[in-house]
Each structure stands twice: as C-alpha cells, then as structure tokens.
Amino acid sequence: MPTVRVADLEDDDFLLDVREDDEWKAGHAAGALHIPLSEFVARYGELTEAAPQDGRVHVICRSGGRSAQVTMYLAQQGVDAVNVDGGMQVWEAAGRPVVTDDGTPGHVL
C-alpha cells in the first residue's frame, strides 16, 4: 500500500477526503475534495474531473482504514494514489489547519 506521512505533504498536494458528511462538516483540510466512501464509486467521475492530470491523489480519512480501501481501488484503476498515514487525526495533531465549510476553525470527529 503506497502511503505518505502528513509531515511530507505539501500545501498544494491534491487531497481526497473520503470521510462521511458529518465528519467533513465538523472539520476538514482546506481545499480537499470530499467524496464519502459510501458514495465513492457512484461519484468517481467527480474525482477524475478534479484531480490533476498525471498528478498524485492523496487519500485521507479519519485514521487511514477507509482511505486505504479507496487508495487500493484507485491504484487498480491506474491512478497514482497514496494513503495518508494516520489520516485526519494525525493531520490535526501535527497542527495542520482544520476548517469548516465557512472557513472557521473545525475539529476532527
């Protein structure tokens, strides 16, 4: 499973958040694309439209389990995807910003 540490992510890296709506609303990384795991296959086209051409997709969830599933699926589709180790829990613990939809500070559920 290709993985990347939160500390190794750059601010302009493409981030796909696969947590569910309630988790997203509580707080997420600014600029991330949100497609919940439960809707991922049906909404796959949204990812292919938004992801950078020939770029890497960094997949994140709360702790890394759901994002690992999506990372494996994307790899099978030929997408350069990596799982963000430790997910949003590590993101928040590392001091990375967590925001709500209106840009105010959020938190990880």
Side-chain angles (χ1 to χ4, degrees):
M1 165 76 54
T3 61
V4 64
R5 297 177 324 140
V6 167
D8 295 331
L9 290 172
E10 301 290 332
D11 289 341
D12 61 346
D13 284 339
F14 184 82
L15 195 63
L16 170 65
D17 190 323
V18 297
R19 296 175 303 144
E20 295 304 316
D21 287 337
D22 61 330
E23 296 171 289
W24 171 265
K25 288 176 185 168
H28 54 269
L33 174 64
H34 179 229
I35 304 177
L37 175 62
S38 61
E39 302 172 13
F40 187 76
V41 174
R43 293 177 57 189
Y44 180 72
E46 292 176 42
L47 172 66
T48 58
E49 288 179 20
Q53 290 287 50
D54 299 322
R56 177 168 280 176
V57 175
H58 300 82
V59 189
I60 197 164
C61 66
R62 182 174 185 262
S63 62
R66 290 172 284 181
S67 55
Q69 293 175 42
V70 171
T71 299
M72 290 188 327
Y73 175 82
L74 291 174
Q76 291 171 350
Q77 307 307 311
V79 175
D80 181 9
V82 294
N83 188 29
V84 178
D85 192 33
M88 286 299 296
Q89 289 179 319
V90 171
W91 178 279
E92 185 175 49
R96 294 275 185 124
V98 177
V99 298
T100 61
D101 283 338
D102 65 7
T104 59
H107 65 279
V108 176
L109 287 182

